[in-house]
Amino acid sequence: MNKPAAFKSTELMLVFGALIVGTTLIMSLANFVLFQIVLFIFMPFLLLGLWLVIKYPSTKIKVSGVKKTKFIFLMIKILSIFLIILLCYFAFGHGLLLYQSASYNAAMQPGLIQIANNAQLLWALKLTVITWVMGSSLMMAMTAFGKSRISEFFMPSISASRYALVIDSIVAISFALSLSLLITLASVELSRAMLTFTGLQWPVYPEMTAFILVLTLFVGYRLFHLKQRVKRLAETSISIGRLLLTQTAYLVGLLLIGQAIIVFFPQQMIMPLTKPIVNLLPSLSYEAIWLLLTITLAIASAPILARLLARMMAGFTIGKAALLLFVPFLLGCVLLSRLGLEWVPQAHFIPVTLENIVYHLGPTQFILIGTLLLLLACFVGSTSLQMAWVDIMPMHFGLRIRRLRVLLADQTWLLFIFTSVYLFFANIGYYFMIGIYLVPLTFVLLWVSLYLFYTLTQCSKKVG
């Protein structure tokens, strides 16, 4: 894509400048209000979904080049998708707690922020239900109104212009960013787990040996010509999943090389570097960042889920599709009623002591690593999932899997930068990065719900 053909340089600077300024103001002045809006953004979509089922029950889901799937197999696939989303959210949330900058209490004692596993699972289930409601409603809305991307829900003067590129870019990049963060979390944990298997000890919080790991990442990236290797791979007819697996393998390999360098360094040189990194932003609550990161993943996944469901249910009517989609939703609500209805999990402070200073490998680490591998395996074997990602891309980028492969290959260096930020600052480093997409994505989806309410109301008046 020739970007100047869509925007002039000054226009791009104004767009991104306004985005950054607006995000900074909202994140600093109305953080609590933003979180409440995001937390309950699924409610208008739930009402819209019910309205669409009543108003357009016989409208068929039409997606070109997709064959109708048998009902029983489709039901199994849909339940599997719901469970995989639940696993991803739990793994992502737990991964955010495994690697932290040490916090300090009133007595200046270093400690870690932790959330009980059952509370994490309950929060992951709530986020899964939120994503499911939003994705299902978006799928039915796109079917009822003949739309295929989020920008088409905006007024014609926007949806038919180059500014649709901005809206669809927010949607597509939000998901890509969330997936990159999951890859970073799992890659770091996989390298730490492999180191633990050798019997070596590793601190639970970031230490200044992160400098050695980051240096290894960038030297290895240049030395092994990873950019050229991934770009050559992207030019072949491989799946998106295999490309992502390759990038993950390179990342893990270089992290292991960096850790080997640390292990074979003289201990008298390494030990002074194992003190916790100073938190440069002590005013930020780690618990609040954890909640924002996890809920961003939930709403960023809704548009791609909508397109995946549309491709899987091609040939079915909205009424039949709603019956299928209601089963996981009902399952989620039953589990929520049994596990508890408290909306936000509570974190607690654990002082760093000799007992918990060393990294211990547990089942949740295996869940994080296994979940990433399972998700990437889905991208390897599912053409519908790959095409769903293509569907949410801006039209300016070219709606083809080959074009998506090229874009992902070009952004390999971004994955290494995300990992470097994570190694130095843990999840605090992602606070502003996530905010840049959380704020506009929230307002984009709110606009979609308002547009749908207005359109459905006008249609009802015309019928009356």
Side-chain angles (χ1 to χ4, degrees):
M1 168 194 162
N2 186 10
K3 291 182 180 179
F7 281 99
K8 295 179 180 178
S9 299
T10 52
E11 289 176 322
L12 273 177
M13 291 177 64
L14 287 174
V15 168
F16 283 104
L19 190 64
I20 293 172
V21 171
T23 296
T24 303
L25 290 174
I26 291 174
M27 294 288 285
S28 58
L29 301 177
N31 203 332
F32 177 77
V33 175
L34 172 67
F35 180 73
Q36 295 300 316
I37 292 173
V38 177
L39 186 59
F40 294 101
I41 196 174
F42 74 97
M43 294 185 70
F45 284 95
L46 178 60
L47 295 176
L48 286 168
L50 294 173
W51 199 344
L52 288 165
V53 171
I54 295 171
K55 194 169 183 61
Y56 301 96
S58 58
T59 304
K60 279 194 173 184
I61 302 171
K62 298 178 181 179
V63 180
S64 59
V66 179
K67 296 181 180 179
K68 186 176 180 180
T69 308
K70 291 185 178 180
F71 189 88
I72 184 66
F73 293 117
L74 189 56
M75 186 75 257
I76 295 173
K77 286 183 179 180
I78 286 175
L79 285 172
S80 300
I81 291 172
F82 185 84
L83 293 175
I84 289 173
I85 293 173
L86 176 60
L87 273 175
C88 287
Y89 290 173
F90 176 75
F92 184 77
H94 190 76
L96 293 174
L97 298 172
L98 292 173
Y99 188 83
Q100 300 181 31
S101 296
S103 302
Y104 293 88
N105 59 13
M108 294 307 294
Q109 184 181 16
L112 305 172
I113 299 299
Q114 291 297 319
I115 299 173
N117 286 341
N118 59 343
Q120 291 183 50
L121 181 59
L122 181 58
W123 179 245
L125 181 59
K126 291 171 184 173
L127 295 182
T128 303
V129 172
I130 288 173
T131 303
W132 197 259
V133 169
M134 295 178 66
S136 301
S137 298
L138 282 172
M139 184 275 292
M140 289 186 283
M142 288 177 175
T143 299
F145 296 104
K147 302 180 186 300
S148 59
R149 54 184 35 80
I150 297 298
S151 61
E152 294 176 8
F153 287 101
F154 285 71
M155 62 187 71
S157 60
I158 291 180
S159 61
S161 76
R162 55 196 170 162
Y163 286 97
L165 170 63
V166 177
I167 297 168
D168 289 327
S169 294
I170 290 170
V171 173
I173 295 176
S174 296
F175 173 74
L177 177 61
S178 300
L179 180 58
S180 297
L181 297 187
L182 179 59
I183 291 175
T184 291
L185 295 177
S187 298
V188 171
E189 290 307 313
L190 179 56
S191 65
R192 296 170 85 191
M194 295 175 73
L195 184 69
T196 303
F197 276 125
T198 65
L200 299 172
Q201 294 183 336
W202 191 260
V204 294
Y205 47 75
E207 66 292 335
M208 285 307 294
T209 48
F211 175 78
I212 298 175
L213 293 178
V214 171
L215 186 62
T216 305
L217 287 180
F218 281 93
V219 170
Y221 181 80
R222 301 288 296 179
L223 183 63
F224 297 114
H225 306 288
L226 296 188
K227 180 179 179 180
Q228 290 77 9
R229 290 175 183 271
V230 177
K231 289 189 74 171
R232 284 198 298 268
L233 191 63
E235 292 172 357
T236 63
S237 58
I238 64 167
S239 65
I240 297 299
R242 185 181 167 189
L243 180 65
L244 294 172
L245 279 169
T246 302
Q247 291 175 325
T248 303
Y250 286 145
L251 182 59
V252 173
L254 289 176
L255 286 171
L256 285 173
I257 292 174
Q259 290 170 354
I261 293 172
I262 294 170
V263 168
F264 291 106
F265 254 69
Q267 287 298 307
Q268 59 269 24
M269 296 178 62
I270 294 297
M271 290 308 296
L273 302 178
T274 58
K275 297 179 181 179
I277 287 179
V278 177
N279 184 358
L280 300 179
L281 301 169
S283 60
L284 293 179
S285 166
Y286 198 93
E287 179 183 1
I289 294 173
W290 186 87
L291 291 170
L292 285 173
L293 285 167
T294 50
I295 206 166
T296 299
L297 176 63
I299 66 170
S301 303
I304 191 173
L305 175 62
R307 296 310 303 162
L308 175 61
L309 293 175
R311 288 186 167 274
M312 292 177 60
M313 297 184 173
F316 284 84
T317 62
I318 287 181
K320 289 183 178 180
L323 290 176
L324 284 168
L325 296 172
F326 182 72
V327 176
F329 173 73
L330 180 62
L331 175 64
C333 290
V334 170
L335 290 175
L336 284 176
S337 65
R338 290 184 176 274
L339 294 175
L341 295 175
E342 183 181 358
W343 273 107
V344 180
Q346 299 297 316
H348 53 275
F349 182 86
I350 299 179
V352 173
T353 62
L354 291 176
E355 287 76 20
N356 62 15
I357 196 172
V358 178
Y359 178 80
H360 295 286
L361 190 61
T364 48
Q365 281 91 328
F366 287 109
I367 292 175
L368 171 59
I369 297 167
T371 298
L372 176 67
L373 295 178
L374 175 62
L375 180 61
L376 296 185
C378 292
F379 275 107
V380 171
S382 175
T383 303
S384 296
L385 182 55
Q386 296 177 64
M387 289 305 300
W389 194 347
V390 172
D391 286 346
I392 65 173
M393 290 171 56
M395 291 190 68
H396 296 72
F397 287 178
L399 302 181
R400 299 186 303 277
I401 288 183
R402 179 184 175 278
R403 182 58 179 153
L404 178 57
R405 284 200 303 266
V406 172
L407 286 172
L408 291 176
D410 288 339
Q411 294 169 4
T412 302
W413 65 276
L414 276 177
L415 181 61
F416 281 72
I417 289 177
F418 292 159
T419 306
S420 301
V421 171
Y422 180 65
L423 289 170
F424 271 119
F425 306 107
N427 308 305
I428 293 176
Y430 294 141
Y431 179 73
F432 297 104
M433 191 185 306
I434 284 292
I436 292 174
Y437 292 102
L438 174 61
V439 173
L441 182 62
T442 300
F443 284 102
V444 163
L445 293 175
L446 274 177
W447 170 265
V448 171
S449 65
L450 292 173
Y451 172 89
L452 288 172
F453 271 120
Y454 174 78
T455 305
L456 288 171
T457 303
Q458 291 299 110
C459 291
S460 299
K461 287 182 178 179
K462 290 180 180 179
V463 172

